[in-house]
C-alpha cells in the first residue's frame, strides 16, 4: 500500500480506500485501488498505521510508508493505457493482509504483466504482436 484515503458512509472517519503498488526495479508503480475485503478490526488497525506513518498529504490522499503488504484478488485483468502500470484489474479487493510477508517479497510489474499474458491466453484474447 502506498496511498490511503478516507472511506465513505460508516467508514468516513477511517482510512479505508487504498492504492497498491508493485516493484519496477527500485521504483514502486501504482497498479490498483481497493477498499473492501478487510474486517472492521483490520481496517481500524490499518487506519492507525496510516495516521502514524503518513509521509505526505495531497488533499484527501495520504502517501504512506510502503510497509504493509496485501494480497489482492480480482475478477479480470486487462491492458490499459490509462494506468501507470499498463494494467487494469476488474473488481479488485483485498483478499488478506499479509503480515507474514516483507516488502522485498512483493510482486513486480513483470509479474503483473505475466498474469495479463496468462489471462489473455486462457480467455482466447490475442495481444498485439502475437499475430
Amino acid at each position: 500500500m502506498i496511498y490511503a484515503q478516507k472511506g465513505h458512509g460508516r467508514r468516513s472517519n477511517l482510512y479505508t480506500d487504498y492504492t497498491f503498488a508493485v516493484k519496477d526495479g527500485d521504483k514502486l508503480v501504482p497498479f490498483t485501488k481497493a477498499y473492501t475485503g478487510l474486517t472492521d478490526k483490520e481496517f481500524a488497525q490499518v487506519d492507525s498505521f496510516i495516521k502514524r506513518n503518513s509521509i505526505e498529504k495531497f488533499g484527501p490522499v495520504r502517501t504512506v510508508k510502503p510497509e504493509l503488504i496485501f494480497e489482492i484478488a480480482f475478477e479480470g485483468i486487462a491492458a490499459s493505457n490509462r494506468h501507470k502500470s499498463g494494467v487494469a484489474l476488474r473488481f479488485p479487493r483485498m483478499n488478506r493482509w499479509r503480515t507474514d510477508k516483507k516488502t522485498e517479497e512483493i510482486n513486480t510489474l513483470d509479474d503483473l504483466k505475466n498474469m495479463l499474458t496468462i489471462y489473455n491466453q486462457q480467455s482466447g484474447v490475442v495481444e498485439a504482436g502475437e499475430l
Side-chain angles (χ1 to χ4, degrees), residues 17-59:
D17 296 12
Y18 312 134
T19 301
F20 300 96
V22 290
K23 286 190 298 190
D24 185 21
D26 292 337
K27 298 182 301 183
L28 291 174
V29 177
F31 76 98
T32 197
K33 294 177 89 171
Y35 48 86
T36 61
L38 298 181
T39 66
D40 287 344
K41 181 180 177 183
E42 288 171 322
F43 274 125
Q45 291 171 326
V46 174
D47 177 76
S48 177
F49 173 87
I50 291 164
K51 289 173 179 170
R52 291 187 326 270
N53 293 281
S54 292
I55 299 169
E56 298 174 296
K57 187 176 179 183
F58 299 98

Side-chain angles (χ1 to χ4, degrees), residues 96-113:
R96 63 184 168 144
W97 183 1
R98 295 300 303 264
T99 57
D100 60 321
K101 295 284 185 182
K102 296 181 180 165
T103 54
E104 300 82 36
E105 298 177 86
I106 68 170
N107 285 96
T108 66
L109 185 55
D110 286 340
D111 294 334
L112 194 59
K113 289 183 178 182

Side-chain angles (χ1 to χ4, degrees), residues 73-86:
F74 53 92
E75 299 302 315
I77 185 170
S80 171
N81 293 330
R82 292 181 51 203
H83 295 82
K84 290 180 184 179
S85 65

